[in-house]
Amino acid sequence: MTLSASTQLAVVDHFIENYSRTEFEFIISLFPVSKLSEEIKSNERKFRTYLKGFRPDKLPIKRFQEIFYKSIYSGKNITLALQLNNLVKGYTLKMDKLISDRIEPAKTVKEKIKSNNIDTFTKLLDLLIENNYDQSDKIIVYFKMLNIELTDDQLQYLHKNFEQLLVNRSVRLLVEKEVSEKYKQEIKDLTYNLKDELKDKENQIKQQQEILEQVRKEYQSIIFTKDREFKNREAEYNLDIEKKVQGNIKSKKRINELESREQSMINKIKEQENKISNITSLLDKKEREMIPQIESKWNTLNTELLNQQANLKHTIRILEGHKNNLTLVVEKLDYKKSELEKVILSYEENGGKVISNIKDLMSKFGFESTNMRSQNRVHFIAGNKSEVDIETVDRFDFIEDLSDNLNISGVQDFYINDMARYLYAIFVSGMSPLLIGYNTRKMANALSNLFNGSNADIISLPPGFDDMNELNRVVNSSMSKVLLIENAVDNISDFIYLPLLKQNNDKFILFSMESSEHLNLISQSIFNYMVPIDVDSILQYVKNPGDLIKTKTDITVFNYTIDENLVRTNLRHLKKIAPIYFLSPSTKIRWAEVMAVIDSLDINKAFYCIIVFSLTMLCRQTKKTEELSKYIQQQNLEPEMFKFLNSFIVDSI
């Protein structure tokens, strides 16, 4: 039954008002670490300050005394107070049983104590001293736990005689030990003196037992032989009689059974012959009726299928020809695009102000207008700034806080932990997330608040934006650790923003797209630097989300050595999906590094994250979700993961 709020507060006040710190710490020392650590284990993050990297069940008793005292006396922690109150009740019940076994019923003892019965009080003191109550103050704490207030006579007796009681117990234990050792020695000496005499008696007894055993065996053999002869004769006679009686009974019974079965078989044979005759007639009739219809339908369907097969083969040959032609055109366009990018970058790096001079020259001939100038305006939204004192220096703390912020930002509970690991692995691998869908700003803010306690700076680019220097200036002037660049990937040329990803700066840059419809139109080289993430499929409605967690994350959280063996293992996984979705060799290596980081955090989750957050969306745009589903079925996955992935892919079709 749940206690009311006032009752719970009364438990806290009871400890504070009735026990000093020394008395309270003695109460804590009465219980094992396994019991004291139960509540702390269930909420380690709340007690992180006290744990200092230790597991709760490995803390010394002094640390538990400090945790419980400060939490209850200073923090008025109701949960720990209720836990300790239950432990005290259990302890007093255990002591009541011991008192009942050793003195008299515990209820009677308590009544006598309350009525100032010194004799019973003395017996209880002896029992408590035997159970490690080695100080008079500890005796008083025990009576406080029973809510018994000692009388002045009892307190005077306790303070006056406690030391003598301790001495008496020590003397009693010493005397018991000496007496025990003395009797052990006397028994040992007596045993030694009587050893030879006992041995002679044992030999005599053994001889008499052997004689008795021999006589017993002789008589037993005679009795056994006679008994066996009698039983054999009796059994032979009874068996002979029984065989004759049973033989007659069985013969009569068998004759009757055979006669009955013979008649029954004759009747069944007649019935079966009639049924076979009727069924044969019906089958012959149906066969005559159905054979012409079956032959006609089969010939018609066979002709149609042969025609469809021929048409499909012809169509496939035509489509393969178109595909080959389109492939050649795409390869030529990619080659030309690559050459053009190299030329443009060469102009930017070596030509100084050549491009800007060309623009000035074009403007003199009237090719620049107000609309063209407005295309290069960057819309910048600065995040709110605030000071935070909490610093995160451990990657698991960062991932846990990011999970909470993603949940607050609208990501479904089922995905928050895996999405947090995915984003962490992308940053460790030196790549950027490409957030696709609605609510991307909230996800950027969830990250940014963990770096400097404020929302991310937003950079929104107009369609056709082409001023790379202006974009670099805006990014470099931003004071935020996290930036979200909108309308870049699907609206402007990639050579404008890709240099940002190639620079080794200390900012975390995210990109976003409103929809995945144009994914198949962007250059595949983008995926060498970005990992696309399907945001729409993992969102939910949050009625009262609450405030985001604000921390200051140390950049060393992302200093992580990637395991090469895990990279090679995941690279083999990515190579197998080539028939389903094409990824360039360099993209496979970069994504394999992301997967290796995830596997180092949580075994066998990397493949799951890539499928759920990225590949399903990409395959949906190329109409290859059914092929992806078949690929999943061929993998040796755990039943629970296979069931979820297959359902997730099917739902996305």
Side-chain angles (χ1 to χ4, degrees):
M1 184 178 69
T2 304
L3 298 177
S4 64
S6 59
T7 305
Q8 293 176 353
L9 287 173
V11 173
V12 176
D13 293 338
H14 172 76
F15 283 111
I16 296 173
E17 293 171 0
N18 288 279
Y19 301 101
S20 65
R21 178 163 187 166
T22 302
E23 292 174 336
F24 184 81
E25 290 178 348
F26 168 67
I27 292 174
I28 297 298
S29 69
L30 293 173
F31 308 110
V33 169
S34 59
K35 293 292 184 182
L36 295 172
S37 62
E38 287 179 352
E39 183 62 32
I40 298 173
K41 272 184 183 178
S42 64
N43 199 353
E44 289 188 27
R45 185 175 175 188
K46 186 174 181 180
F47 298 96
R48 189 189 302 174
T49 305
Y50 298 103
L51 297 178
K52 296 181 179 179
F54 288 94
R55 289 171 53 188
D57 53 2
K58 299 296 183 183
L59 291 176
I61 193 66
K62 285 288 185 183
R63 187 65 57 82
F64 281 108
Q65 290 172 339
E66 179 186 0
I67 292 173
F68 274 80
Y69 182 79
K70 290 184 177 180
S71 298
I72 295 175
Y73 280 67
S74 300
K76 294 197 173 182
N77 188 306
I78 293 175
T79 305
L80 287 184
L82 292 176
Q83 180 196 4
L84 183 58
N85 190 50
N86 290 333
L87 290 174
V88 168
K89 288 181 179 178
Y91 176 79
T92 55
L93 289 174
K94 180 180 176 183
M95 289 300 296
D96 285 349
K97 186 178 184 306
L98 183 61
I99 292 169
S100 299
D101 293 340
R102 295 283 297 276
I103 304 175
E104 57 183 321
K107 184 177 180 181
T108 305
V109 171
K110 292 176 185 177
E111 290 175 354
K112 289 183 178 181
I113 295 295
K114 291 178 181 178
S115 62
N116 201 19
N117 188 314
I118 297 299
D119 183 50
T120 303
F121 182 65
T122 304
K123 291 179 182 179
L124 182 56
L125 288 182
D126 287 336
L127 182 60
L128 292 175
I129 290 171
E130 288 181 12
N131 286 272
N132 299 322
Y133 281 80
D134 54 359
Q135 295 178 12
S136 58
D137 291 340
K138 293 181 180 179
I139 299 290
I140 294 172
V141 172
Y142 174 74
F143 284 105
K144 282 186 178 181
M145 287 191 286
L146 297 178
N147 293 323
I148 295 177
E149 184 177 354
L150 298 178
T151 64
D152 292 339
D153 293 340
Q154 290 170 335
L155 289 172
Q156 183 179 0
Y157 179 84
L158 174 63
H159 292 307
K160 181 179 178 180
N161 298 292
F162 185 76
E163 294 297 330
Q164 184 61 41
L165 291 173
L166 286 176
V167 172
N168 291 344
R169 182 173 182 271
S170 300
V171 170
R172 184 169 64 253
L173 291 175
L174 183 61
V175 170
E176 288 175 355
K177 182 178 179 182
E178 290 177 353
V179 170
S180 176
E181 290 176 352
K182 179 181 178 181
Y183 276 107
K184 284 181 181 178
Q185 185 62 40
E186 290 179 355
I187 291 170
K188 185 177 180 182
D189 294 339
L190 184 61
T191 303
Y192 181 79
N193 294 332
L194 296 175
K195 186 176 181 181
D196 293 336
E197 186 178 347
L198 288 172
K199 190 173 181 180
D200 291 338
K201 295 296 182 182
E202 287 176 355
N203 290 333
Q204 292 177 11
I205 292 170
K206 187 176 180 181
Q207 290 175 0
Q208 293 299 321
Q209 286 178 342
E210 288 176 353
I211 294 171
L212 287 173
E213 182 65 21
Q214 185 177 359
V215 172
R216 187 186 66 79
K217 286 182 178 179
E218 290 176 358
Y219 279 102
Q220 188 176 14
S221 176
I222 295 170
I223 293 170
F224 178 76
T225 302
K226 295 296 182 181
D227 184 62
R228 185 172 59 182
E229 290 177 357
F230 176 78
K231 286 182 178 179
N232 288 340
R233 289 177 182 177
E234 183 181 20
E236 289 174 357
Y237 177 77
N238 291 335
L239 183 62
D240 186 52
I241 298 297
E242 182 68 21
K243 282 182 179 179
K244 290 178 180 179
V245 173
Q246 291 296 327
N248 291 331
I249 294 173
K250 286 183 178 179
S251 297
K252 292 179 181 179
K253 187 177 180 181
R254 184 64 175 166
I255 290 170
N256 293 332
E257 287 178 353
L258 289 174
E259 290 176 349
S260 176
R261 288 178 62 185
E262 180 183 10
Q263 186 60 41
S264 177
M265 291 297 293
I266 291 171
N267 295 334
K268 287 183 179 179
I269 290 170
K270 289 181 179 179
E271 290 177 2
Q272 294 297 328
E273 287 176 350
N274 292 332
K275 288 181 180 178
I276 291 170
S277 177
N278 294 333
I279 292 171
T280 303
S281 300
L282 288 172
L283 285 174
D284 291 341
K285 183 178 178 182
K286 288 292 181 182
E287 183 180 4
R288 289 192 297 271
E289 293 175 354
M290 296 301 295
I291 283 177
Q293 298 178 18
I294 293 170
E295 288 179 349
S296 175
K297 288 184 179 179
W298 187 88
N299 291 331
T300 303
L301 290 173
N302 188 47
T303 303
E304 291 178 358
L305 289 171
L306 290 173
N307 292 334
Q308 290 177 8
Q309 183 182 23
N311 293 334
L312 285 171
K313 287 182 178 179
H314 179 68
T315 304
I316 289 169
R317 285 195 296 272
I318 294 172
L319 290 174
E320 286 178 346
H322 290 332
K323 177 185 175 183
N324 293 333
N325 293 335
L326 288 172
T327 302
L328 291 173
V329 171
V330 170
E331 288 177 352
K332 289 178 182 179
L333 288 173
D334 283 342
Y335 175 76
K336 289 180 180 179
K337 179 182 177 184
S338 178
E339 292 298 317
L340 246 163
E341 289 176 352
K342 291 178 182 177
V343 171
I344 291 170
L345 289 173
S346 175
Y347 282 153
E348 286 290 334
E349 294 172 358
N350 303 319
K353 298 182 178 179
V354 172
I355 292 178
S356 61
N357 290 337
I358 292 173
K359 289 180 181 178
D360 293 338
L361 183 62
M362 290 175 67
S363 67
K364 291 179 181 179
F365 285 98
F367 289 105
E368 184 177 16
S369 65
T370 303
N371 290 332
M372 291 177 65
R373 285 193 300 271
S374 65
Q375 286 179 346
N376 288 333
R377 291 178 182 173
V378 177
H379 183 53
F380 181 80
I381 303 173
N384 57 315
K385 307 299 179 187
S386 61
E387 294 294 330
V388 290
D389 298 326
I390 301 174
E391 184 175 10
T392 300
V393 295
D394 181 79
R395 66 176 180 271
F396 291 106
D397 289 340
F398 172 80
I399 292 171
E400 183 180 353
D401 290 341
L402 180 55
S403 299
D404 293 339
N405 274 3
L406 289 174
N407 195 13
I408 293 169
S409 301
V411 177
Q412 296 179 39
D413 296 350
F414 186 80
Y415 299 104
I416 55 174
N417 293 324
D418 297 321
M419 175 58 78
R421 295 187 187 95
Y422 200 33
L423 290 171
Y424 172 78
I426 290 171
F427 289 132
V428 168
S429 304
M431 301 184 73
S432 290
L434 173 56
L435 306 176
I436 301 173
Y438 175 71
N439 241 9
T440 55
R441 290 189 180 184
K442 285 188 177 181
M443 292 188 70
N445 291 337
L447 267 167
S448 182
N449 274 274
L450 296 181
F451 283 94
N452 47 5
S454 61
N455 289 340
D457 285 353
I458 311 297
I459 299 175
S460 184
L461 303 177
F465 179 83
D466 61 357
D467 194 339
M468 180 170 56
N469 293 327
E470 174 65 10
L471 180 58
N472 282 332
R473 183 194 66 77
V474 174
V475 170
N476 291 330
S477 64
S478 172
M479 300 300 292
S480 177
K481 283 279 188 183
V482 179
L483 293 94
L484 174 64
I485 300 180
E486 300 177 333
N487 305 325
V489 177
D490 53 345
N491 284 320
I492 67 175
S493 177
D494 53 10
F495 80 86
I496 299 298
Y497 57 83
L498 280 183
L500 291 174
L501 303 178
K502 297 176 182 179
Q503 295 173 3
N504 187 19
N505 55 39
D506 60 348
K507 297 184 186 299
F508 294 87
I509 301 177
L510 295 79
F511 291 82
S512 71
M513 293 172 58
E514 286 292 330
S515 173
S516 60
E517 294 179 357
H518 302 140
L519 266 177
N520 55 345
L521 301 178
I522 64 177
S523 173
Q524 286 286 323
S525 62
I526 293 295
F527 297 148
N528 292 340
Y529 307 97
M530 301 181 192
V531 178
I533 298 177
D534 183 7
V535 176
D536 283 340
S537 64
I538 61 174
L539 291 179
Q540 66 179 353
Y541 171 70
V542 181
K543 186 175 181 181
N544 296 309
D547 296 329
L548 294 171
I549 297 173
K550 300 179 185 294
T551 63
K552 184 166 57 179
T553 300
D554 194 312
I555 199 69
T556 57
V557 168
F558 299 94
N559 295 342
Y560 186 75
T561 302
I562 300 175
D563 189 332
E564 294 182 359
N565 292 327
L566 290 177
V567 174
R568 284 192 288 270
T569 299
N570 285 297
L571 192 56
R572 288 195 293 271
H573 286 309
L574 291 175
K575 286 180 179 178
K576 292 179 183 178
I577 66 168
I580 303 171
Y581 191 86
F582 173 77
L583 295 173
S584 69
S586 57
T587 300
K588 290 175 185 174
I589 293 172
R590 298 301 306 279
W591 286 23
E593 291 175 349
V594 175
M595 295 171 73
V597 176
I598 298 172
D599 277 341
S600 67
L601 298 171
D602 193 340
I603 300 301
N604 296 331
K605 270 303 182 86
F607 181 73
Y608 165 88
C609 290
I610 285 287
I611 294 292
V612 172
F613 300 131
S614 299
L615 272 178
T616 300
M617 173 184 61
L618 295 174
C619 291
R620 187 168 61 241
Q621 299 308 312
T622 57
K623 311 298 183 184
K624 289 292 185 74
T625 46
E626 292 185 2
E627 288 81 350
L628 180 61
S629 179
K630 291 178 182 177
Y631 170 74
I632 294 297
Q633 295 171 12
Q634 296 169 0
Q635 307 308 305
N636 187 21
L637 300 176
E638 295 180 357
E640 186 175 350
M641 183 180 291
F642 166 74
K643 183 178 179 181
F644 172 77
L645 286 177
N646 193 53
S647 175
F648 183 85
I649 295 168
V650 170
D651 290 343
S652 69
I653 298 176

